[in-house]
């Protein structure tokens, strides 16, 4: 896949970046606050052996309709300015608390998740509620490839080529009622395979939410693939949200339910740590996290850091929403 250099309004010049060695080491920082001890206590669950999974071990083959979406056409209106993060790095550095609170854990532990067949339910304040099999979506949704920045609230970033479709295409089918103000996204709840969900102090299942206008924005993307192939389980197979102007925690993985509501829903992180993670979750270098700055970001896989951009550089597409 080509990485075409098209200057964009979110470009950051080389002289704004500094070596990684200068960058705050968050693990050291967390250690100082005692947070590492808490996170380590959580990881016992995510690292439990897969023999306890309760899910069949035999992988289900990729269907013809899923195979047919690759290669998807690159939508170069969203091409970024820097190198794509190599897959061997992004697929080994994941946040997926259902399987581990370590970055390395999901790559191993998520493999027990049964992702085929998979159904996505759409309900709530819509004219056409329904349950979609993934094959329905592979056949009917306008699949394309988009290279987006991913900026995690933990002050690191990547450049990722996703395959999927704009969420708006699905929303147009289900037709939200005028009473719908928000959309809630819910990940599976399967604590016998996703043993991180045994961590009783978290409000499982993982849920996220957007305002309807945010969900309908052309940037809001449902990813079913990455690097030109189906999503590996650690990235949220078979379908996940990608909202590139918001911190990564808004981009819920392995979604089973999309519900249209007439109120702002509680989410996993706004319930677990309301003082640290806001519902809006927009990337904003001017608003520090209570425990660290959001002014700069470590570019995973490059050994460099850069200045963080307001709305992660996507302001011209989304600033009017705020
Ligand atoms: N979705 C679920 N279900 N569980 C999670 O723990 N972590 C979020 C988001 N989606 C998370 C999730 C966070 S904090 C980030 S940064 C991104 O997933 C990371 O996506 P990636 O591992 O594919 O890079």
């Amino acid at each position: 896949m080509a990485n075409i250099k098209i200057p964009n309004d979110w470009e950051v010049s080389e002289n704004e970046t500094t070596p990684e060695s200068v960058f705050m080491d968050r693990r050291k920082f967390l250690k100082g606050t005692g947070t590492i001890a808490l996170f380590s206590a959580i990881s016992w669950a995510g690292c439990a052996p897969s023999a306890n999974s309760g899910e069949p071990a035999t992988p289900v083959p990729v269907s013809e309709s899923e195979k047919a979406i690759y290669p998807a056409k690159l939508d170069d209106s969203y091409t970024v300015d820097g190198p794509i993060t190599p897959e061997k790095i992004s697929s080994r550095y994941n946040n997926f608390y259902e399987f581990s609170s370590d970055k390395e854990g999901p790559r191993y532990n998520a493999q027990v998740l049964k992702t085929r067949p998979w159904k996505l339910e759409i309900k709530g304040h819509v004219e056409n509620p329904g349950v979609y099999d993934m094959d329905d979506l592979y056949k009917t949704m306008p699949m394309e490839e988009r290279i987006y920045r991913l900026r995690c609230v933990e002050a690191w970033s990547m450049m990722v080529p996703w395959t999927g479709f704009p969420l708006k295409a699905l929303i147009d089918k289900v037709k939200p009622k005028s009473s719908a103000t928000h959309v809630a996204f819910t990940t599976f709840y399967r604590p016998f395979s996703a043993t991180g969900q045994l961590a009783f102090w978290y409000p499982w299942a993982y849920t996220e939410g957007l305002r309807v206008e945010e969900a309908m924005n052309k940037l809001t993307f449902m990813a079913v693939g990455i690097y030109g192939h189906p999503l590996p389980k650690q990235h949220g197979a078979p379908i996940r949200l990608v909202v590139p102007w918001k911190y990564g925690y808004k981009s819920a993985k392995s979604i089973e339910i999309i519900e249209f509501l007439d109120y702002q829903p509680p989410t996993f992180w706004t319930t677990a740590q309301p003082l640290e993670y806001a519902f809006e979750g927009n990337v904003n270098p001017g608003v520090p996290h209570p425990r660290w700055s959001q002014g700069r970001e470590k570019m995973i896989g490059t050994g460099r850091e850069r200045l963080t951009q307001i709305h992660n550089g996507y302001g011209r597409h989304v600033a009017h929403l705020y």
Side-chain angles (χ1 to χ4, degrees):
M1 183 178 18
N3 177 27
I4 306 157
K5 166 85 176 148
I6 298 177
N8 277 308
D9 52 1
W10 54 83
E11 278 206 357
V12 178
S13 68
E14 286 291 304
N15 58 14
E16 284 174 306
T17 65
T18 57
E20 190 178 343
S21 56
V22 182
F23 185 75
M24 177 190 74
D25 181 335
R26 182 168 172 250
R27 282 190 78 84
K28 276 186 205 144
F29 179 77
L30 289 173
K31 218 175 224 160
T33 65
T35 313
I36 278 281
L38 174 63
F39 279 18
S40 309
I42 298 164
S43 6
W44 68 269
C47 294
S50 58
N52 295 333
S53 77
E55 296 212 18
T58 321
V60 177
V62 180
S63 69
E64 290 307 313
S65 50
E66 184 173 5
K67 274 186 209 156
I69 67 181
Y70 301 99
K73 191 176 175 329
L74 176 70
D75 184 341
D76 60 15
S77 23
Y78 305 106
T79 301
V80 292
D81 53 305
I84 291 173
T85 307
E87 182 169 16
K88 67 175 189 309
I89 291 173
S90 62
S91 64
R92 296 169 189 196
Y93 191 91
N94 301 101
N95 276 338
F96 205 168
Y97 273 56
E98 285 83 342
F99 296 103
S100 174
S101 54
D102 289 332
K103 295 287 180 287
E104 303 80 16
R107 171 184 169 214
Y108 301 105
N109 300 338
Q111 302 315 318
V112 299
L113 183 69
K114 189 183 165 214
T115 56
R116 294 189 183 93
W118 188 277
K119 292 190 188 311
L120 177 67
E121 182 178 7
I122 308 197
K123 61 183 185 179
H125 292 242
V126 288
E127 302 292 345
N128 304 319
V131 178
Y132 292 82
D133 189 87
M134 285 303 298
D135 271 338
D136 301 334
L137 300 177
Y138 299 137
K139 285 179 195 151
T140 60
M141 289 292 111
M143 297 290 175
E144 60 181 47
E145 184 173 56
R146 291 188 185 182
I147 304 169
Y148 276 163
R149 285 181 173 197
L150 171 69
R151 169 58 157 84
C152 181
V153 74
E154 298 166 337
W156 53 260
S157 65
M158 297 190 193
M159 309 267 194
V160 183
W162 303 103
T163 302
F165 58 90
L167 177 57
K168 185 177 183 308
L170 193 51
I171 295 180
D172 287 345
K173 277 179 92 156
V174 301
K175 298 195 188 342
K177 294 182 178 164
S178 57
S179 52
T181 58
H182 290 79
V183 192
F185 302 85
T186 306
T187 296
F188 62 82
Y189 180 64
R190 302 185 201 172
F192 291 106
S193 37
T195 52
Q197 292 181 329
L198 296 173
F200 58 85
W201 51 90
Y202 279 130
W204 306 107
Y206 194 98
T207 49
E208 257 310 334
L210 296 171
R211 285 166 29 212
V212 169
E213 313 83 76
E214 294 176 325
M216 306 256 317
N217 185 275
K218 61 183 179 178
L219 288 179
T220 307
F221 203 60
M222 298 301 293
V224 299
I226 191 168
Y227 298 96
H229 58 68
L231 281 176
K233 294 179 184 183
Q234 64 267 37
H235 281 295
I239 185 162
R240 68 172 290 169
L241 186 60
V242 184
V243 195
W245 74 95
K246 293 179 180 282
Y247 291 120
Y249 65 85
K250 298 297 293 180
S251 295
K253 296 181 171 179
S254 305
I255 293 169
E256 282 190 339
I257 304 169
I258 299 180
E259 184 168 10
F260 287 76
L261 303 167
D262 59 359
Y263 59 91
Q264 177 179 304
T267 69
F268 182 85
W269 285 114
T270 59
T271 307
Q273 281 167 285
L275 300 179
E276 303 205 345
Y277 303 104
F279 180 86
E280 187 174 86
N282 286 349
V283 175
N284 188 344
V287 178
H289 183 278
R291 290 184 280 129
W292 59 86
S293 164
Q294 295 291 16
R296 305 183 78 83
E297 63 201 53
K298 178 175 167 182
M299 299 160 71
I300 299 296
T302 67
R304 308 177 75 88
E305 67 167 74
R306 70 195 300 172
L307 294 175
T308 287
Q309 302 298 292
I310 182 84
H311 297 127
N312 203 20
Y314 294 99
R316 76 184 152 113
H317 302 287
V318 297
H320 65 278
L321 293 171
Y322 305 101

